[in-house]
Amino acid sequence: MRICTLLFFVFSSFAFAQGEPELKSSDLKKISKYTGDWIDAKIDGDPSKLSDAIMSLEEQVVKMAKSSKGRNPLSYVYDWEIALHQERKYATSGSTVKKGRVANVAFARAPYSVWLPKKYNPKKSNYPCVVLLGAKAAAVIESLPAEVLENMIILAPDISSLSEDLALTMETLISLIIPVSEASKAYHLDRMRLFMVGTDELGSVIAAQWGAVMPHLFAGVTSTTDVTGKIVGSKNLELVANTVMASANDAAAWCAIQARTNPYPLSFEFEIPWPQQSRVFWVHPVKSDAFEGELANIKVSVDRDSNTISIDSTSVERVKLYLNDAIVDLDKPVIIVRNGIDYTYQPSRSVGTMLEVFASSLDGAVFPATIQEVDIPQAEKTQE
């Protein structure tokens, strides 16, 4: 099947694969407006508008609670995903909006190039985004397939000062994430359809390495050469769609037909490849202790029938949990079985928590539950 045929379905505006809207359209429209106002005020650094927006949103949530027949309005996870993506105010013209051509952005420590489709219209649709990584990635953009250029935003961070031995460093993270962060502020990105494409050896290493560190952030990682043997924590790539393609054009076309990421898996296992490891899906390991030469590992599963989260690890001592009602029922006590030892608590939801987590991350996930930090009991370890 041709890419252009598939794009009709893939690029449909606000097509949420994980769930369908449940709120009344009038309620969804109101919370979309207030969340959009809040995000715009957050970006602009306007405390007065920020306060007004969250006050209006909280008042609307109270009104919705009165007519929701006992269901907490913050439990409508997929409606909030739509609301948080839908009503931002994006520029449609001006110096930052160059349609149908490559524009270079000289942003401090992380310069990058960007391509917007000729018919880019943030009022009508959000756009998947491909991050091209390679020494000459910017020069590749205009030769990508027409179907990709017409429907996707393309970013090409400047990684000319980097090398493979710096792949897993803060310097590389800054070069990669700042362009994505700035683009998500300026353009209507689908934050659950971010992709990385390595166009050469260096770009492939960076793409695969950060796909392993942040598998939840990307809907797909692909490259033009197999670099698996060079990646720390390469098993984590099993958590994200990934492949090796013959060319950057093939890789970009592959990205175009991939599904949105699932931000709330109920069973997953991951290694911790980086000392500054952040959240992976909805679990953030904040303290780990692996032997030298080994990687800490954590296994997570959910039994929704019993509202139980099981966490098994011999080397992770503490985690933060980011929860919503797609993972567990937040109206009921949640049982957390940590290496076989139970711990039970009653979560609470917060508009403020949901907004701040969304604003501080790039994956677009919705987590209204107050963040819970949990210790993982450890048995005495012996190194073999």
Side-chain angles (χ1 to χ4, degrees), residues 178-241:
I178 284 184
V180 177
S181 176
E182 291 303 305
S184 72
K185 296 176 186 176
Y187 313 119
H188 199 175
L189 301 186
D190 183 343
R191 288 166 59 159
M192 292 188 184
R193 294 198 68 217
L194 297 175
F195 301 91
M196 286 191 292
V197 171
T199 64
D200 57 19
E201 184 85 7
L202 174 59
S204 296
V205 169
I206 292 174
Q209 185 58 77
W210 289 98
V213 175
M214 303 181 292
H216 64 287
L217 185 56
F218 301 98
V221 177
T222 184
S223 60
T224 52
T225 182
D226 186 359
V227 295
T228 307
K230 299 181 179 182
I231 304 307
V232 181
S234 60
K235 289 183 179 179
N236 290 358
L237 291 171
E238 297 174 4
L239 298 172
V240 58

Side-chain angles (χ1 to χ4, degrees), residues 346-366:
Q346 178 60 60
S348 60
R349 302 180 185 87
S350 163
V351 170
T353 297
M354 177 184 64
L355 293 175
E356 289 296 342
V357 172
F358 181 85
S360 63
S361 60
L362 288 173
D363 60 349
V366 171

Side-chain angles (χ1 to χ4, degrees), residues 95 97-104 114-118 141-142:
S95 59
V97 183
K98 305 298 183 182
K99 304 177 185 179
R101 65 183 178 90
V102 177
N104 297 316
V114 59
W115 168 279
L116 299 178
K118 290 180 180 180
I141 294 176
E142 291 183 311

Side-chain angles (χ1 to χ4, degrees), residues 53-100:
I54 195 168
M55 186 178 299
S56 297
L57 184 57
E58 288 177 336
E59 289 175 354
Q60 179 60 29
V61 168
V62 170
K63 292 178 182 177
M64 290 162 57
K66 293 178 180 178
S67 60
S68 63
K69 299 180 180 180
R71 182 170 175 181
N72 191 303
L74 293 177
S75 69
Y76 295 95
V77 175
Y78 305 113
D79 293 87
W80 286 101
E81 282 186 10
I82 296 171
L84 286 162
H85 285 83
Q86 189 163 289
E87 291 294 330
R88 278 275 321 279
K89 295 177 181 178
Y90 298 93
T92 57
S93 61
S95 59
T96 62
V97 183
K98 305 298 183 182
K99 304 177 185 179

Side-chain angles (χ1 to χ4, degrees), residues 123-346:
K123 294 180 179 180
K124 289 186 176 181
S125 165
N126 54 11
Y127 293 78
C129 177
V130 172
V131 182
L132 291 183
L133 294 165
K136 299 179 180 179
V140 174
I141 294 176
E142 291 183 311
S143 65
L144 294 176
E147 294 91 344
V148 171
L149 294 177
E150 291 168 4
N151 293 282
M152 305 181 82
I153 293 173
I154 313 296
L155 301 177
D158 182 353
I159 61 170
S160 59
S161 64
L162 302 177
S163 57
E164 288 186 24
D165 61 319
L166 295 174
L168 193 56
T169 63
M170 186 61 71
E171 182 179 355
T172 298
L173 178 63
I174 289 171
S175 296
L176 172 62
I177 291 300
I178 284 184
V180 177
S181 176
E182 291 303 305
S184 72
K185 296 176 186 176
Y187 313 119
H188 199 175
L189 301 186
D190 183 343
R191 288 166 59 159
M192 292 188 184
R193 294 198 68 217
L194 297 175
F195 301 91
M196 286 191 292
V197 171
T199 64
D200 57 19
E201 184 85 7
L202 174 59
S204 296
V205 169
I206 292 174
Q209 185 58 77
W210 289 98
V213 175
M214 303 181 292
H216 64 287
L217 185 56
F218 301 98
V221 177
T222 184
S223 60
T224 52
T225 182
D226 186 359
V227 295
T228 307
K230 299 181 179 182
I231 304 307
V232 181
S234 60
K235 289 183 179 179
N236 290 358
L237 291 171
E238 297 174 4
L239 298 172
V240 58
N242 72 93
T243 189
V244 177
M245 306 297 290
S247 68
N249 281 14
D250 291 340
W254 175 86
C255 293
I257 59 173
Q258 299 307 304
R260 298 170 78 249
T261 185
N262 172 18
Y264 320 120
L266 300 185
S267 179
F268 57 100
E269 183 174 0
F270 64 94
E271 297 176 324
I272 301 174
W274 199 39
Q276 289 83 21
Q277 182 68 49
S278 59
R279 174 169 59 86
V280 175
F281 296 111
W282 44 273
V283 177
H284 180 186
V286 293
K287 185 178 181 183
S288 60
D289 182 23
F291 288 117
E292 185 176 352
E294 297 180 357
L295 294 180
N297 179 281
I298 185 167
K299 185 176 182 180
V300 183
S301 62
V302 177
D303 180 355
R304 284 188 57 85
D305 290 339
S306 61
N307 226 35
T308 298
I309 299 171
S310 296
I311 303 174
D312 292 300
S313 177
T314 58
S315 48
V316 176
E317 300 176 11
R318 185 175 304 130
V319 298
K320 290 181 180 178
L321 299 179
Y322 294 71
L323 300 177
N324 62 31
D325 288 87
I327 302 168
V328 290
D329 185 344
L330 297 178
D331 287 324
K332 299 176 181 178
V334 175
I335 303 168
I336 305 174
V337 182
R338 309 149 302 148
N339 285 338
I341 299 176
D342 289 5
Y343 165 74
T344 302
Y345 85 107
Q346 178 60 60

